Amino acid sequence: MIDTLRLTAEEAARLLREREVSAAELYAAYRAAIDERDPELHCYLHVCEDDGGEGIPIAVKDVIGTKGIPTTAGSKILENYVPVYDATVIERCKANGLRVLGKTNTDEFAMGSSTENSAYGPTKNPWDPTRVPGGSGGGSAAAVAAGLAPWALGSDTGGSIKQPAALCGNVGLRPTYGTVSRYGAIAFASSLDQIGPVARNVRDCAYLYSIIAGRDPADSTTVELPNAVELPEGEDLKGLRVGVPREFNEHEAIEPGVREAVQRAIELCRELGAEVGDCSLPYSVDYGMPCYYLIAPAEASSNLARYDGVRFGYRSPNGGDRLEMYERTRDEGFGEESKRRIMIGTYALSAGYYDAYYGQAQKVRTVLAREHAQAFERFDVLVSPTSPSVAFKLGARSENPLAMYLSDLLTIPSCMAGLPGLNVPCGLSEGLPVGLQLIGPQFSENVLFRVGQALETAIGFDPVPARLVDV
Amino acid sequence: MANIDRDQLLHVARLARLELREEEVERLGAQLNDILAAVSKVSELDLSGVPPTSHPLDVVNVWAADEPHASLPVEEALANAPEREGSYFRVPPGGSS
Amino acid sequence: MSEWETVVGLEVHAHLKTRTKMFCRCELEYGAAENTRTCPVCLAHPGALPVANGRAIEHTIKLGLALECEIASSAVFARKNYFYPDLPKGYQISQYEAPLCGPGRLVVPTAEGDEVVRIVRAHLEEDAAKTVHAGGATGRSVGADYSLVDFNRGGTPLLEIVSEPDIRSSEAALRFLRLLRQTIVELGISDAEMEKGTMRADVNVSVRKQGEEGYRPRWELKNMNSFTFIGRGIEAAVREQIAAYERGETIGQSTYDYDPDTDRLTVHRSKEEADDYRYFPEPDLVPVEPTAELVERLRAEVPEPPGARIRALEQAAGFDVAYALVTTGRDALYAGLVADGVESRAAANWVMNDFAATGADPGAVDIAGMATVLKTPSLTRDALVEATAASALPGFSAADYTSRAAVSDASELGPVIDAVLAANPQQVETYRGGKEGILGFLVGQVMKETEGKADAKAVNALLREKLAQDA
């Protein structure tokens, strides 16, 4: 009996290798779990049939292109779109024997923090289905948490892997910008987007990262990893310097329960032998959000221009001449948040406003990068909560864009600097998962995995949602 | 500093090829002004000496050799076409676009 | 001299000669069946990313070197955002603030001195696809006009060269264009043929009073692809602008179409209000920073530009001959012959008349062999004609022709000449009567009698002698 709620990818690989379980049985177990729990949770937009392959199944966020499998980006404007090519990360997964289990729900075009912006309905948090799983990659995080996939691929622009991982109690990595190919991943903000692994534990996360990472000739912004990925083994943090940035840890938006869980984890770092110290990044939290909400929408406004009803996707039936076709297709095909961001982005780039908005934001970005770099002269890793709150109620922030944007307050700054970040569950608050964010300098994934693994072992967090145990 | 009026809003919508319905114009207008007020915070900083960051990594000179790859078979190229005629994509005519 | 001065600036676009497109590796093929040269990148499918064509970059740098441009230390691709069916991404990847080539100049030699046209910049971008308009509206029936799009051409590398408004007449514009075209073709980077659409020009025309500072608003004639129409279009614009000013009207900056049938300009039906292209640096591509090594390697591949070659030959051959030789691509042939000892005027004469008539490739001529032939005293006319015809063919042997010296010996020619004079008493009298032109007829008769083997110069001299003697 395969317990998909607990099975790690590493364990699944062993079972297959030692023929304790067949590939078909493994696949069937996940299908059964999906049939049972997904009608309530709605993690999946599309579930694939068993293709007869031999490897481990993987769930894929629906912004990542899969050849022959519908890919919607959570949007009506791509409702019937079937890619004619695989994203590079999918090719790499397939080359390692992985099989696409299904496409997971996402905020439309990866824009959002709750998965409520999906044109296909929201995903529910497996810990409490009246609450959001986080976003934009809520589907992937919820699927892993609910045992509907052993692991998943997500995408992170301002926190879309880390924050759902925090709210659903699993491990998510936002990689160093440029270490994972974006070819085939539907672009939101090109200088910020990264594809990354979502998993039940740090080792699975590291292993999946090693499969997908590395330079891709099809993506000019990728580079070779300077060091090979190391699966973490160690259990202590001796010799490591852990920084606690004040602004990230004492912000008034952080819920008390979250703050406590994170502080316990920081204390644990000390006990494990790390040198822990305070630091200050005065601009990052205050200016990170405005910076992000100028640059990301600007790039998005341009990236989303290709959705025009000409070559693929939705075309408005309310036809008319070409101009009307464009305008109606896009107005009818895009949801609210996408339209908001397109408008902001277009404005920020427009004549007369570029310097004050986009141009200025690109400079703020430099400031944030420098600030982080300075901190990393004294520390190997910075810690903070990933999300200021635990999972909030469905509908609680959806009427207020700015309130929703605040969900990313703590994940955004390091994204602006192209830095990697790992979410590791560190406890519960009111029965809901709290995530610890580990930020490192560029190419420091191995350090993040080492710290994450040590804490994971020491904390002993049970990633199975309590309400799903003994179901 | 930031305040988009109705005309500007419609101009931006036109640039973005979004035909906003009247009730959208109202609602979006208000939301956009709130967001703009928040993001305008970036202009508080004097960054005259600071260079902009376009790329997080210091990578330059990436290009490919001029060697062909296989193009898509024409049926795949047109597979998702909302409207086609033969092997062409078909779109409504327009003096404007 | 008119009180008005013509002011012309040109923006020239040339399709670069590469095997593949600018940002994907689809093979370029003129006349391929529609939509058979496409891929996810040039169709702008979701997730597709551009990868720059290295050869196109090299071609552009070479053009910059040939135009004495500053080669950028860091060139940046930029997005130019607008909507059109032939622009699948909804933006064109071009260069904006940081082009590959900075200020330079093209020096156009004329008999009266140099016309220096400053180049503002040269940069690299991609061409749009092709839209054809179809259907025939009969009234307002369903199935009326529509447009069809073929993406084969979309993504072709395009070189854009922008000149300062330094051109002062339509003739000067055409001189500039022809010399620019020749420079481009000799670099081997483009076929630059207007009729085929591999070169086109936007022509900016304004007028101002002689001595007036600053420039008045200009009219733009876009996508001109005929030298003749460019010349006429400029003249029509100048004419109409002057007339308007003299009527007291003001001129606004506008785009115009030139109608060759009426020789008049009409305002181009404007697509939409002036586009705000919202340029920003292309996040999917990294800067191009040509190394000193690369630039020097490419510099060695740049031949001496045509303008400089004209001036170099002018001393020896006079301006008109030098201009003709260089602009017809035959100056290397001429220079080679002269270097091998052929007298300058004889070499120029042979190249521009005898050889030119064959239509053969000057680069294929056996220069050493032909020089030997040309230096042969008393070569018969026949021998010269045959040698010329064979000069560019493989297996040319000078010896086949040099042995066929013309007869110039007086003792051999004397009797023949006497016979001809005896047979043509009328002509002899005409000559002696003062009409020396008849000598040509008599020479011809001698040539006929000797079956072309006589040396015409010697015959001419001997005839004169004899005719003078017997007078």
Side-chain angles (χ1 to χ4, degrees), chain A residues 310-387:
Chain A
V310 174
R311 298 164 316 292
F312 49 75
Y314 176 78
R315 180 187 288 195
S316 171
N318 302 315
D321 66 20
R322 190 183 299 158
L323 177 61
E324 288 164 340
M325 187 273 277
Y326 272 70
E327 293 194 335
R328 286 173 194 167
T329 293
R330 291 165 60 80
D331 186 62
E332 293 163 19
F334 287 132
E336 288 284 304
E337 185 60 35
S338 297
K339 281 190 267 198
R340 259 192 297 273
R341 299 207 192 186
I342 290 171
M343 293 285 287
I344 295 273
T346 304
Y347 186 72
L349 289 171
S350 63
Y353 296 102
Y354 180 100
D355 288 336
Y357 288 121
Y358 187 77
Q360 182 76 348
Q362 292 286 53
K363 294 182 175 191
V364 172
R365 205 169 167 170
T366 305
V367 171
L368 302 186
R370 287 177 178 173
E371 206 169 68
H372 281 79
Q374 254 182 341
F376 287 124
E377 284 168 16
R378 292 171 50 210
F379 299 103
D380 302 308
V381 68
L382 303 176
V383 298
S384 77
T386 301
S387 163

XYZ file of all heavy atoms in Angstrom, chain A residues 310-387:
634
model
N -4.311 35.924 -32.443
C -3.883 35.717 -33.831
C -3.396 34.292 -34.094
O -3.839 33.640 -35.035
C -2.766 36.715 -34.220
C -2.211 36.404 -35.620
C -3.301 38.133 -34.186
N -2.482 33.807 -33.245
C -1.821 32.533 -33.569
C -2.235 31.379 -32.686
O -1.988 30.212 -33.013
C -0.295 32.673 -33.484
C 0.279 33.658 -34.464
C 1.694 34.073 -34.110
N 1.920 34.375 -32.716
C 1.454 35.374 -32.011
N 0.797 36.226 -32.540
N 1.661 35.539 -30.724
N -2.821 31.656 -31.539
C -3.207 30.578 -30.619
C -4.120 31.180 -29.560
O -4.236 32.401 -29.436
C -1.980 29.949 -29.942
C -1.034 30.952 -29.350
C -1.342 31.609 -28.157
C 0.136 31.285 -30.003
C -0.485 32.571 -27.636
C 1.003 32.237 -29.486
C 0.687 32.884 -28.302
N -4.756 30.294 -28.806
C -5.535 30.779 -27.669
C -6.883 31.344 -28.040
O -7.375 31.211 -29.163
N -7.449 32.016 -27.086
C -8.799 32.559 -27.203
C -8.851 33.697 -28.214
O -7.941 34.532 -28.267
C -9.228 33.055 -25.820
C -10.556 33.740 -25.760
C -11.736 33.008 -25.770
C -10.635 35.142 -25.664
C -12.969 33.649 -25.701
C -11.864 35.774 -25.595
C -13.026 35.018 -25.611
O -14.234 35.656 -25.535
N -9.901 33.725 -29.038
C -10.197 34.896 -29.865
C -11.643 35.248 -29.596
O -12.518 34.385 -29.638
C -9.980 34.598 -31.344
C -10.288 35.819 -32.216
C -10.251 35.510 -33.680
N -8.891 35.302 -34.160
C -8.557 35.309 -35.456
N -9.469 35.535 -36.371
N -7.320 35.085 -35.816
N -11.903 36.487 -29.321
C -13.252 36.912 -28.973
C -14.236 36.598 -30.089
O -13.975 36.896 -31.249
C -13.274 38.422 -28.718
O -14.605 38.858 -28.585
N -15.367 36.029 -29.733
C -16.397 35.807 -30.744
C -17.143 37.102 -31.086
O -17.888 37.153 -32.059
C -17.357 34.808 -30.066
C -17.165 35.046 -28.604
C -15.755 35.503 -28.409
N -16.894 38.129 -30.280
C -17.540 39.415 -30.539
C -16.728 40.229 -31.522
O -16.568 41.430 -31.384
C -17.694 40.179 -29.212
C -18.488 39.372 -28.218
O -19.518 38.791 -28.551
N -18.004 39.289 -26.985
N -16.238 39.543 -32.471
C -15.396 39.990 -33.581
C -15.257 41.453 -33.863
O -14.835 42.210 -33.033
N -15.574 41.828 -35.089
C -15.357 43.210 -35.488
C -14.087 43.301 -36.295
O -13.532 42.310 -36.766
N -13.583 44.517 -36.445
C -12.360 44.672 -37.222
C -11.179 44.285 -36.351
O -11.321 43.850 -35.211
C -12.236 46.100 -37.761
C -12.062 47.136 -36.661
O -11.667 46.774 -35.525
O -12.318 48.320 -36.924
N -10.002 44.462 -36.891
C -8.829 43.958 -36.204
C -8.631 44.586 -34.828
O -8.325 43.899 -33.852
C -7.600 44.195 -37.067
C -6.358 43.492 -36.540
C -5.172 43.826 -37.380
N -5.352 43.395 -38.764
C -4.691 43.905 -39.796
N -3.832 44.894 -39.602
N -4.885 43.446 -41.005
N -8.800 45.878 -34.745
C -8.622 46.560 -33.474
C -9.589 46.018 -32.439
O -9.219 45.725 -31.310
C -8.804 48.074 -33.651
C -8.714 48.912 -32.381
C -7.346 48.758 -31.725
C -8.979 50.386 -32.676
N -10.847 45.850 -32.860
C -11.843 45.323 -31.933
C -11.504 43.895 -31.534
O -11.676 43.506 -30.381
C -13.234 45.389 -32.576
C -13.763 46.819 -32.677
C -14.941 46.935 -33.637
O -15.122 46.046 -34.495
O -15.664 47.940 -33.534
N -11.020 43.138 -32.483
C -10.639 41.753 -32.175
C -9.572 41.729 -31.101
O -9.671 41.009 -30.118
C -10.146 41.060 -33.457
C -9.883 39.566 -33.311
S -8.233 39.139 -32.720
C -7.282 39.191 -34.246
N -8.542 42.547 -31.277
C -7.473 42.614 -30.282
C -8.025 43.015 -28.924
O -7.785 42.370 -27.909
C -6.431 43.656 -30.693
C -5.316 43.151 -31.585
C -5.560 42.784 -32.902
C -4.009 43.077 -31.115
C -4.531 42.345 -33.722
C -2.973 42.647 -31.936
C -3.240 42.282 -33.237
O -2.228 41.856 -34.045
N -8.742 44.124 -28.918
C -9.165 44.706 -27.642
C -10.170 43.838 -26.913
O -10.132 43.738 -25.686
C -9.728 46.110 -27.872
C -8.656 47.088 -28.337
C -9.091 48.532 -28.240
O -10.311 48.788 -28.277
O -8.207 49.405 -28.118
N -11.073 43.215 -27.647
C -12.085 42.389 -26.974
C -11.501 41.054 -26.551
O -11.810 40.560 -25.467
C -13.283 42.170 -27.905
C -14.089 43.418 -28.008
C -15.181 43.343 -29.023
N -15.653 44.702 -29.245
C -16.434 45.054 -30.249
N -16.838 44.153 -31.126
N -16.806 46.307 -30.379
N -10.675 40.482 -27.409
C -10.020 39.220 -27.041
C -9.274 39.382 -25.722
O -9.396 38.567 -24.807
C -9.034 38.794 -28.145
O -9.762 38.456 -29.322
C -8.190 37.612 -27.712
N -8.536 40.466 -25.624
C -7.716 40.652 -24.436
C -8.551 41.064 -23.225
O -8.312 40.619 -22.111
C -6.607 41.664 -24.744
C -5.581 41.096 -25.729
C -4.690 42.168 -26.337
N -3.927 42.897 -25.348
C -2.811 42.452 -24.784
N -2.341 41.267 -25.111
N -2.169 43.187 -23.900
N -9.565 41.861 -23.445
C -10.399 42.247 -22.307
C -11.201 41.064 -21.777
O -11.362 40.903 -20.566
C -11.345 43.388 -22.695
C -12.122 43.903 -21.501
O -11.497 44.409 -20.562
O -13.368 43.759 -21.482
N -11.697 40.230 -22.704
C -12.484 39.067 -22.284
C -11.606 37.927 -21.807
O -11.986 37.150 -20.935
C -13.347 38.575 -23.467
C -14.436 39.556 -23.860
C -14.990 39.270 -25.257
O -14.800 38.143 -25.766
O -15.600 40.186 -25.834
N -10.424 37.806 -22.369
C -9.568 36.659 -22.064
C -8.759 36.803 -20.787
O -8.444 35.817 -20.126
N -8.393 38.045 -20.448
C -7.599 38.267 -19.235
C -8.492 38.505 -18.035
O -9.537 39.133 -18.141
C -6.721 39.505 -19.387
C -5.535 39.334 -20.309
C -5.270 40.271 -21.284
C -4.664 38.259 -20.174
C -4.178 40.143 -22.126
C -3.575 38.116 -21.015
C -3.335 39.066 -21.995
N -8.045 38.043 -16.866
C -8.754 38.331 -15.627
C -8.342 39.680 -15.067
O -7.458 40.356 -15.588
N -8.970 40.017 -13.962
C -8.771 41.318 -13.313
C -7.325 41.659 -13.007
O -6.839 42.736 -13.336
C -9.509 41.307 -11.972
C -10.982 41.369 -12.072
C -11.426 42.760 -12.414
O -11.058 43.682 -11.676
O -12.101 42.914 -13.447
N -6.670 40.732 -12.301
C -5.314 41.031 -11.833
C -4.365 41.204 -13.015
O -3.526 42.097 -13.028
C -4.807 39.928 -10.892
C -3.451 40.213 -10.263
C -3.420 41.478 -9.416
O -4.439 41.794 -8.758
O -2.374 42.170 -9.427
N -4.529 40.357 -14.015
C -3.678 40.496 -15.193
C -3.881 41.855 -15.845
O -2.918 42.515 -16.235
C -3.980 39.396 -16.209
O -3.678 38.136 -15.666
N -5.132 42.263 -15.946
C -5.397 43.560 -16.556
C -4.815 44.690 -15.719
O -4.241 45.643 -16.227
C -6.901 43.766 -16.753
C -7.429 43.028 -17.981
C -8.839 43.419 -18.329
C -9.823 42.484 -17.682
N -11.161 42.581 -18.342
N -4.957 44.565 -14.392
C -4.372 45.588 -13.527
C -2.888 45.714 -13.790
O -2.350 46.803 -13.946
C -4.593 45.205 -12.049
C -5.732 45.937 -11.384
C -5.716 45.734 -9.890
N -5.904 44.361 -9.483
C -7.100 43.784 -9.287
N -8.204 44.478 -9.483
N -7.175 42.526 -8.920
N -2.209 44.566 -13.821
C -0.759 44.629 -13.969
C -0.340 45.101 -15.354
O 0.648 45.819 -15.498
C -0.145 43.271 -13.649
C -0.445 42.883 -12.208
C 0.546 41.982 -11.604
N 0.042 41.447 -10.341
C 0.746 40.699 -9.525
N 1.981 40.372 -9.832
N 0.216 40.263 -8.397
N -1.105 44.695 -16.361
C -0.793 45.179 -17.699
C -0.918 46.701 -17.739
O -0.077 47.401 -18.323
C -1.723 44.540 -18.756
C -1.379 43.049 -18.927
C -1.614 45.258 -20.089
C -2.373 42.295 -19.791
N -1.942 47.209 -17.104
C -2.152 48.659 -17.115
C -1.031 49.382 -16.352
O -0.467 50.361 -16.832
C -3.505 49.007 -16.485
C -4.703 48.527 -17.277
S -5.032 49.520 -18.748
C -5.701 51.015 -18.017
N -0.731 48.894 -15.168
C 0.357 49.520 -14.398
C 1.655 49.474 -15.186
O 2.384 50.463 -15.293
C 0.603 48.766 -13.073
C -0.577 48.869 -12.150
C 1.867 49.281 -12.388
C -0.560 50.094 -11.281
N 1.926 48.312 -15.737
C 3.174 48.123 -16.462
C 3.274 49.006 -17.691
O 4.323 49.597 -17.967
N 2.176 49.102 -18.414
C 2.165 49.946 -19.613
C 2.402 51.393 -19.219
O 3.172 52.120 -19.859
C 0.811 49.812 -20.346
O 0.569 48.437 -20.638
C 0.788 50.620 -21.624
N 1.756 51.797 -18.164
C 1.911 53.171 -17.678
C 3.345 53.443 -17.257
O 3.931 54.469 -17.598
C 0.949 53.388 -16.510
C 0.882 54.803 -15.997
C 0.259 55.799 -16.739
C 1.421 55.143 -14.750
C 0.190 57.103 -16.257
C 1.342 56.430 -14.276
C 0.724 57.405 -15.019
O 0.654 58.682 -14.534
N 3.928 52.497 -16.533
C 5.287 52.684 -16.004
C 6.336 52.782 -17.104
O 7.426 53.305 -16.885
C 5.636 51.538 -15.064
N 6.007 52.246 -18.276
C 6.955 52.285 -19.382
C 6.668 53.409 -20.357
O 7.447 53.657 -21.269
C 6.908 50.963 -20.171
C 7.479 49.731 -19.487
C 7.152 48.491 -20.320
C 8.981 49.847 -19.308
N 5.536 54.068 -20.159
C 5.101 54.973 -21.224
C 5.882 56.273 -21.224
O 6.543 56.654 -20.254
C 3.596 55.230 -21.121
O 3.276 55.867 -19.921
N 5.784 56.930 -22.380
C 6.542 58.156 -22.620
C 6.264 59.171 -21.536
O 5.120 59.471 -21.231
C 6.176 58.718 -23.985
N 7.319 59.673 -20.964
C 7.167 60.686 -19.922
C 7.175 60.100 -18.522
O 7.387 60.807 -17.550
N 6.929 58.790 -18.440
C 6.868 58.195 -17.097
C 7.967 57.180 -16.855
O 8.179 56.748 -15.736
C 5.495 57.531 -16.883
C 4.366 58.543 -16.915
C 3.561 58.679 -18.043
C 4.150 59.389 -15.834
C 2.559 59.633 -18.083
C 3.151 60.343 -15.864
C 2.360 60.470 -16.991
O 1.371 61.404 -17.036
N 8.650 56.791 -17.923
C 9.658 55.741 -17.802
C 10.693 56.056 -16.734
O 10.997 55.239 -15.877
C 10.340 55.544 -19.174
C 11.412 54.485 -19.188
C 11.137 53.218 -19.687
C 12.698 54.755 -18.730
C 12.120 52.246 -19.726
C 13.681 53.778 -18.750
C 13.389 52.537 -19.253
O 14.352 51.562 -19.279
N 11.281 57.225 -16.784
C 12.367 57.549 -15.851
C 11.921 57.490 -14.400
O 12.613 56.960 -13.551
C 12.932 58.936 -16.160
C 13.750 58.936 -17.438
O 14.249 57.854 -17.817
O 13.872 59.999 -18.071
N 10.756 58.056 -14.142
C 10.289 58.119 -12.758
C 9.861 56.758 -12.224
O 9.996 56.489 -11.035
C 9.116 59.095 -12.651
N 9.356 55.922 -13.095
C 8.826 54.646 -12.630
C 9.765 53.489 -12.942
O 10.513 53.038 -12.096
C 7.433 54.401 -13.232
C 6.375 55.297 -12.638
C 5.625 56.167 -13.431
C 6.121 55.287 -11.272
C 4.659 56.979 -12.873
C 5.156 56.105 -10.705
C 4.423 56.949 -11.508
O 3.463 57.763 -10.970
N 9.726 52.984 -14.155
C 10.545 51.812 -14.482
C 12.017 52.095 -14.297
O 12.752 51.320 -13.688
C 10.264 51.357 -15.924
C 10.940 50.068 -16.286
C 10.442 48.855 -15.842
C 12.093 50.061 -17.075
C 11.061 47.661 -16.175
C 12.716 48.868 -17.417
C 12.197 47.674 -16.961
O 12.810 46.498 -17.279
N 12.467 53.211 -14.826
C 13.875 53.563 -14.732
C 14.335 53.650 -13.284
O 15.374 53.102 -12.908
N 13.558 54.304 -12.476
C 13.889 54.460 -11.064
C 13.858 53.106 -10.357
O 14.735 52.798 -9.535
C 12.886 55.426 -10.405
C 13.131 55.713 -8.943
C 14.276 56.672 -8.669
O 15.078 56.992 -9.549
N 14.375 57.135 -7.441
N 12.880 52.294 -10.680
C 12.777 50.971 -10.035
C 14.006 50.114 -10.339
O 14.481 49.363 -9.485
C 11.507 50.255 -10.486
N 14.535 50.221 -11.552
C 15.731 49.449 -11.904
C 16.936 49.902 -11.069
O 17.851 49.128 -10.812
C 16.064 49.592 -13.399
C 15.054 48.945 -14.341
C 15.167 47.424 -14.353
O 15.124 46.761 -13.332
N 15.287 46.863 -15.534
N 16.926 51.141 -10.661
C 18.000 51.627 -9.795
C 17.801 51.127 -8.378
O 18.756 50.754 -7.691
C 18.048 53.142 -9.813
C 18.446 53.728 -11.156
C 18.521 55.234 -11.082
C 19.038 55.806 -12.386
N 19.349 57.241 -12.233
N 16.550 51.130 -7.933
C 16.265 50.603 -6.591
C 16.727 49.157 -6.502
O 17.273 48.704 -5.509
C 14.754 50.708 -6.272
C 14.431 49.991 -4.968
C 14.326 52.159 -6.197
N 16.536 48.477 -7.607
C 16.971 47.080 -7.668
C 18.459 46.947 -7.355
O 18.885 46.028 -6.657
C 16.707 46.600 -9.081
C 16.535 45.158 -9.180
C 16.020 44.816 -10.544
N 16.153 43.388 -10.693
C 15.654 42.690 -11.669
N 14.973 43.302 -12.609
N 15.828 41.407 -11.710
N 19.241 47.846 -7.902
C 20.685 47.843 -7.644
C 20.945 48.049 -6.156
O 21.792 47.376 -5.561
C 21.378 48.953 -8.454
O 21.046 48.789 -9.833
C 22.886 48.890 -8.287
N 20.209 48.974 -5.570
C 20.366 49.236 -4.136
C 20.068 47.979 -3.327
O 20.817 47.625 -2.412
C 19.430 50.381 -3.692
C 19.411 50.519 -2.179
C 19.853 51.696 -4.338
N 19.005 47.294 -3.659
C 18.634 46.086 -2.919
C 19.692 45.000 -3.093
O 20.040 44.300 -2.136
C 17.270 45.564 -3.394
C 16.092 46.526 -3.268
C 14.795 45.846 -3.619
C 16.014 47.097 -1.874
N 20.210 44.855 -4.296
C 21.243 43.843 -4.533
C 22.488 44.150 -3.704
O 23.084 43.271 -3.088
C 21.580 43.781 -6.013
N 22.862 45.424 -3.696
C 24.061 45.815 -2.940
C 23.888 45.578 -1.451
O 24.802 45.136 -0.760
C 24.368 47.296 -3.184
C 24.935 47.571 -4.551
C 25.152 49.068 -4.753
N 25.743 49.353 -6.057
C 25.912 50.588 -6.544
N 25.527 51.635 -5.823
N 26.460 50.753 -7.721
N 22.680 45.875 -0.974
C 22.388 45.706 0.442
C 22.523 44.244 0.855
O 23.109 43.920 1.886
C 20.951 46.180 0.665
C 20.646 46.645 2.023
C 19.308 47.339 2.104
O 18.268 46.672 1.946
O 19.318 48.558 2.354
N 21.984 43.370 0.026
C 22.092 41.940 0.320
C 23.556 41.498 0.241
O 24.036 40.755 1.095
C 21.242 41.110 -0.647
C 19.780 41.089 -0.316
N 18.925 42.116 -0.612
C 19.038 40.133 0.313
C 17.700 41.808 -0.195
N 17.735 40.615 0.371
N 24.253 41.954 -0.772
C 25.659 41.558 -0.949
C 26.480 41.961 0.274
O 27.337 41.212 0.741
C 26.226 42.181 -2.205
N 26.184 43.139 0.781
C 26.898 43.600 1.974
C 26.645 42.670 3.149
O 27.556 42.301 3.886
C 26.412 44.993 2.358
C 27.392 46.061 2.042
C 26.880 47.425 2.480
O 25.690 47.631 2.693
N 27.789 48.350 2.632
N 25.379 42.297 3.323
C 25.043 41.390 4.426
C 25.776 40.067 4.261
O 26.214 39.459 5.230
C 23.540 41.168 4.480
N 25.928 39.615 3.039
C 26.570 38.329 2.815
C 28.084 38.372 2.990
O 28.747 37.346 2.909
C 26.183 37.755 1.452
C 24.771 37.246 1.401
C 23.875 37.717 0.451
C 24.324 36.315 2.330
C 22.561 37.268 0.427
C 23.017 35.859 2.324
C 22.134 36.345 1.373
N 28.619 39.537 3.242
C 30.041 39.572 3.608
C 30.208 39.078 5.036
O 31.246 38.541 5.400
C 30.580 40.996 3.478
C 30.820 41.401 2.039
C 31.075 42.903 1.879
O 31.361 43.565 2.901
O 30.992 43.396 0.741
N 29.151 39.248 5.824
C 29.237 38.818 7.223
C 28.512 37.502 7.485
O 28.736 36.868 8.510
C 28.625 39.896 8.129
C 29.403 41.185 8.193
C 28.603 42.265 8.933
N 28.096 41.795 10.214
C 26.970 42.231 10.785
N 26.224 43.135 10.191
N 26.580 41.747 11.964
N 27.596 37.137 6.620
C 26.778 35.950 6.883
C 26.705 35.039 5.677
O 26.865 35.475 4.543
C 25.350 36.365 7.276
C 25.294 37.194 8.518
C 25.100 38.572 8.443
C 25.448 36.609 9.773
C 25.054 39.346 9.583
C 25.415 37.376 10.927
C 25.224 38.746 10.835
N 26.475 33.761 5.952
C 26.327 32.787 4.870
C 24.875 32.660 4.431
O 24.587 32.277 3.310
C 26.819 31.411 5.333
C 28.255 31.456 5.775
O 29.081 31.956 4.988
O 28.557 31.028 6.909
N 23.972 32.928 5.354
C 22.555 32.796 5.053
C 21.773 33.789 5.913
O 22.180 34.118 7.021
C 22.088 31.336 5.288
C 22.120 30.991 6.773
C 20.716 31.099 4.726
N 20.696 34.318 5.361
C 19.812 35.210 6.118
C 18.495 34.496 6.352
O 18.006 33.792 5.459
C 19.561 36.500 5.334
C 20.775 37.314 4.934
C 20.344 38.514 4.077
C 21.538 37.798 6.163
N 17.924 34.662 7.539
C 16.661 33.981 7.826
C 15.563 34.978 8.157
O 15.824 36.063 8.695
C 16.806 32.970 8.984
C 17.790 31.885 8.630
C 17.217 33.683 10.261
N 14.341 34.560 7.862
C 13.169 35.370 8.178
C 11.941 34.506 7.958
O 12.052 33.413 7.410
C 13.103 36.591 7.258
O 12.627 36.215 5.980
N 10.774 35.005 8.365
C 9.576 34.298 7.934
C 9.464 34.408 6.409
O 9.940 35.376 5.830
C 8.422 35.078 8.598
C 9.056 35.957 9.606
C 10.464 36.185 9.173
N 8.846 33.418 5.789
C 8.605 33.514 4.352
C 7.393 34.397 4.102
O 7.410 35.286 3.260
C 8.350 32.112 3.764
O 9.489 31.283 4.019
C 8.091 32.194 2.277
N 6.355 34.131 4.876
C 5.113 34.881 4.723
C 4.776 35.552 6.059
O 4.977 34.962 7.103
C 3.984 33.924 4.323
O 2.724 34.510 4.542
